[in-house]
Amino acid sequence: MILLFVVFGLVGGVGSSSEVVRATRRTLSNFAKEGSNGHVGRGREAPIRTSFFNALQDIEKSIIVAEYNHRRVSTTGANQALRKLRRMVISAAMNGKYKIGRELYGLTSVMESKRSLSRSRKRVRRSAQSFADFLKDKLGDQTFYQFFNIESGTSLTFVIDVTGSMTEDIAQVKEMVKELSSTEENEEDPGSGFYTFLIAPFSDPGYGPVDIFNDKGEFLSALESIEVVGGGDCDEMVLSGLVEALQFGEYYSPIFIFTDASAKDTYELDSVNTLATVSAAMGRAMLPW
């Protein structure tokens, strides 16, 4: 709170928050397109991750608040504060403190735009681009992309039948999941590794919730803790589990289904087709027939 109060007191008064917001949004969106497409490969254009827009929203809010609370100060004082803010943004990003780092990025963006008395849109855009380039150079591509939620790796999703009829098979399923998740990133193909791991359980009559893991160790621990229960008849809620999974996986990502039963919820087939088309998911069913 003290930090924010001091910074607000140092922000100058030229320009407008709308110009700084627009310039920052434009600059970072270009990086997001570049980063996403660089990870997808094979000539496909990747959609920008939703989480990137969440990060951008944090920055834009900070810009607006900083402008609203501005005070005029000497150029010397502003330059000293700017150097300190830059160091703080770099430190936050390198230490994984992304939330506060993005807020500081917004404040710094405002101060960067105040270094000149020029009110021109071109000047504000150059300032936004210059600061982003500076940060990318200091952090390196990987940390820079992570800081703004740009990195667009692939998710690996497992839709698993946890009904009682899977009692004799669940151990084998776990071994297969471990083997499938053992793929490591290829140094010659950045982004080929898995960004997230998802487990989408289903039984009868229930299904879900989907568990999402960024840490592979936590994913494997959750996998081991799966227990089978319930069921009773032959058909299970296979498609309902798949619908849940399709809403959380990354684009162009594989989904594996493990079950010993057919689907009783065929009414969900249209939903599956629609979601699979939208997400461009590459579904691959691991079925017993």
Side-chain angles (χ1 to χ4, degrees):
M1 184 62 70
I2 295 176
L3 169 66
L4 295 179
F5 174 79
V6 171
V7 172
F8 292 158
L10 292 173
V11 177
V14 298
S16 67
S17 61
S18 58
E19 286 299 334
V20 179
V21 166
R22 281 195 290 266
T24 301
R25 182 187 302 150
R26 177 178 177 174
T27 298
L28 295 181
S29 293
N30 286 337
F31 277 115
K33 292 176 184 177
E34 170 191 302
S36 295
N37 289 329
H39 282 80
V40 170
R42 292 186 291 279
R44 294 177 301 202
E45 183 174 349
I48 299 175
R49 291 166 54 86
T50 301
S51 53
F52 163 73
F53 292 108
N54 293 334
L56 187 60
Q57 187 177 51
D58 290 339
I59 294 169
E60 292 179 355
K61 285 180 179 178
S62 181
I63 290 172
I64 293 170
V65 171
E67 287 278 5
Y68 184 79
N69 290 277
H70 70 269
R71 298 288 187 275
R72 292 185 179 276
V73 295
S74 68
T75 303
T76 301
N79 287 337
Q80 290 175 345
L82 180 57
R83 287 193 293 270
K84 183 175 181 179
L85 276 172
R86 283 179 168 182
R87 291 194 297 268
M88 294 173 70
V89 172
I90 293 170
S91 176
M94 297 189 73
N95 288 284
K97 307 297 184 182
Y98 297 154
K99 180 76 172 178
I100 185 63
R102 292 169 192 147
E103 293 175 356
L104 291 170
Y105 184 93
L107 294 170
T108 310
S109 296
V110 173
M111 294 197 65
E112 290 279 0
S113 73
K114 309 302 182 184
R115 299 181 70 185
S116 168
L117 294 178
S118 171
R119 296 172 179 266
S120 72
R121 180 178 301 176
K122 184 179 292 186
R123 167 62 191 168
V124 175
R125 287 181 177 177
R126 281 202 303 266
S127 174
Q129 185 68 52
S130 176
F131 181 38
D133 288 340
F134 165 81
L135 190 63
K136 190 169 185 281
D137 180 65
K138 292 295 183 181
L139 297 178
D141 288 359
Q142 182 175 357
T143 303
F144 180 84
Y145 288 144
Q146 290 174 345
F147 181 56
F148 293 110
N149 283 338
I150 290 173
E151 186 146 309
S152 183
T154 304
S155 61
L156 185 59
T157 302
F158 300 99
V159 183
I160 302 176
D161 184 347
V162 294
T163 57
S165 63
M166 290 286 289
T167 299
E168 296 181 1
D169 301 315
I170 195 65
Q172 183 180 1
V173 168
K174 291 178 180 180
E175 289 303 314
M176 293 180 68
V177 169
K178 290 177 186 177
E179 183 177 347
L180 290 166
S181 65
S182 65
T183 303
E184 299 296 335
E185 182 171 294
N186 184 340
E187 293 182 359
E188 298 180 358
D189 182 17
S192 61
F194 297 116
Y195 188 80
T196 53
F197 300 90
L198 289 77
I199 297 176
F202 67 90
S203 56
D204 185 15
Y207 52 88
V210 177
D211 291 318
I212 305 173
F213 304 92
N214 294 105
D215 182 86
K216 186 176 179 181
E218 293 179 2
F219 160 72
L220 293 175
S221 295
L223 176 68
E224 285 298 331
S225 69
I226 291 178
E227 298 181 352
V228 295
V229 65
D233 55 10
C234 181
D235 299 340
E236 312 294 359
M237 304 292 283
V238 181
L239 297 183
S240 295
L242 183 55
V243 166
E244 287 285 293
L246 282 165
Q247 297 179 67
F248 293 95
E250 298 294 340
Y251 294 98
Y252 310 115
S253 298
I255 297 175
F256 294 86
I257 304 173
F258 295 87
T259 184
D260 63 351
S262 56
K264 70 187 307 181
D265 50 354
T266 53
Y267 53 83
E268 290 284 14
L269 189 56
D270 287 343
S271 296
V272 169
N273 289 332
T274 299
L275 288 168
T277 300
V278 170
S279 65
M282 299 183 296
R284 183 182 304 173
M286 302 294 289
L287 303 174
W289 56 85

